[in-house]
Amino acid sequence: TASPLPVTRNFRLYHDGKHFVGEKRFESIHDLVTDGLITLYIETKAAEYIAKMTINPIYEHVGYTTLNQEPTLKKHLPHSPEALDGPAPAKDDCNTEERLTSLVRRATLRESDLAPKYEKVHNFKVHTFRGPHWCEYCANFMWGLIAQGVKCADCGLNVHKQCSKVVPNDCQPDLRHVKKVYSCDLTTLVKAHNTKRPMVVDMCIQEIEARGLQSEGLYRISGFSELIEDVKLAFDRDGEKADISSNAYEDINIITGALKLYFRELPIPIITYDAYPRFIETGKITDPEKRLESLHEALKLLPPAHCETLRYLMAHLKRVTQYEKENLMSSENLGIVFGPTLMRAPELDAMTALNDIRYQRLVVETLITNEDVLF
């Protein structure tokens, strides 16, 4: 029988200092052609095999965890006297763990029962792997010269691009990848540090309640911006070891400013962009009972880590209002301060965003006043 005629494909080639087609960028035409030939060979000779790669993944059988959870796990495991008093491990043994791939780590470590069970999607980015690499979802080889697959920027999981579409939303961020506190996705931060809420929220609120509840204009009066930035840098550098005591920052307005700045710099606000329209609609409801019902339903749209952080913040602001005679901060005043901080309009025109401010205030005011029944 006659062999089928070859199919000719045309690709548009771009150049901006490097040659690139789609997501792949090459230093030279030679590299581009080499990668193209490898991909062509694999996709023509193993098309059926590639199509079935994601059907029986090893991922489900191995389980999923990361190295940053190991210290937490070890604290709860029983230690034998021999392990405590025995000789120090040889240097080669110390390096063994470092040589383990994340795939093997997932097979040998169990997820801590104390870790918050927040769901998080992987933050996959196109990645070039040096040397042979295998997909940690389907265990098949990752072919190509560059950009052979994707890597999660938060936990380091390496998979084929096509496998990334079916990987479960079970990212366990690794502290080696999560370098900052401010400007970090909230769920990513709490999972990386194995906490219910961001440590900056807990620590700032505890400090404010310890020495600032009677301070006039609490949250309304701004502290020195340079010192607020200093607190931010301390959290980014030292995490939960950051010193925000009165010895370091006597003015409580610096701590309130640092807390508000944390919420403003979240890439996804506490009240997420997806949930924003529902909360605004709630603010437009005039009947108090119906507004509460609608707000209760709207809260269900928030990711668990966001909802827990919002609950903790609203309980704190409710306690602030209990000192209104001293601090002059009512739930309405706090709503004015925190409305735009907790709710940011998702790319609305200026006029619509301006009109939303009154509803943002009403939503936050209602959350503070009714925090005991809404959460």
Side-chain angles (χ1 to χ4, degrees), residues 27 59 72 77 116 121 161 232 244 251 262:
E27 296 287 348
Y59 189 87
T72 306
L77 289 176
V121 298
K161 186 178 178 182
K232 170 187 170 179
I244 58 170
D251 183 4
Y262 171 75

Side-chain angles (χ1 to χ4, degrees), residues 8-27:
T8 302
R9 292 184 181 181
N10 297 307
F11 293 92
R12 189 181 295 274
L13 179 63
Y14 299 89
H15 186 269
D16 62 351
K18 288 187 177 181
H19 304 278
F20 64 98
V21 176
E23 295 170 327
K24 295 192 175 188
R25 311 177 87 83
F26 302 88
E27 296 287 348

